[in-house]
Amino acid sequence: QVQLVESGGDLVQAGGSLRLSCAASGSIFSINAMGWYRQAPGKQRELVATITSRGTTNYADSVKGRFTISRTNAKNTMYLQMNSLKPEDTAVYYCNADARGLSGGSRSYWGQGTQVTVSS
């Protein structure tokens, strides 16, 4: 089993910055792609950014130029640096990882989420 734990969510004023972290632990053989998703009240969960094990990144148009995704493979940790935050960035942010456990087989794992609230 693989566990994902997010941290770093907070209440921040518009224009401010936050850094989210996602730490993977458990019986991990390898982690392939990782990503951040978010879900605002009354809306569907949406992709924010993804990063492959080699560092190739992809961003939603709404966050391009403001958010930066990164990861440290040796620590099984992923980050999301969020700058120039807007009220519409308010959501629960979820970490996702495609991981292979020691028992074999790859699957998608989700964290429990961390709340980001941006006040105007």
Side-chain angles (χ1 to χ4, degrees):
Q1 277 289 65
V2 177
Q3 295 82 41
L4 301 177
V5 178
E6 303 99 332
S7 60
D10 205 344
L11 170 63
V12 63
Q13 288 189 335
S17 298
L18 282 176
R19 189 190 193 211
L20 304 183
S21 298
C22 171
S25 63
S27 303
I28 301 171
F29 178 80
S30 63
I31 300 178
N32 300 315
M34 300 183 77
W36 289 98
Y37 293 74
R38 66 186 182 188
Q39 187 167 17
K43 296 187 177 182
Q44 290 188 333
R45 190 173 297 189
E46 64 176 4
L47 170 73
V48 175
T50 61
I51 184 168
T52 69
S53 58
R54 295 187 177 186
T56 300
T57 59
N58 178 59
Y59 295 92
D61 288 343
S62 59
V63 306
K64 281 181 181 177
R66 300 188 299 122
F67 291 9
T68 302
I69 189 171
S70 62
R71 63 191 282 179
T72 302
N73 290 333
K75 296 183 178 181
N76 290 330
T77 303
M78 176 179 63
Y79 308 94
L80 185 69
Q81 177 66 43
M82 304 187 294
N83 299 326
S84 302
L85 283 161
K86 305 175 181 180
E88 50 264 43
D89 294 319
T90 295
V92 177
Y93 283 70
Y94 295 92
C95 169
N96 175 265
D98 289 327
R100 181 179 177 185
L102 294 177
S103 59
S106 295
R107 53 157 286 192
S108 181
Y109 294 86
W110 291 91
Q112 82 289 348
T114 185
Q115 177 70 47
V116 172
T117 303
V118 184
S119 63
S120 57

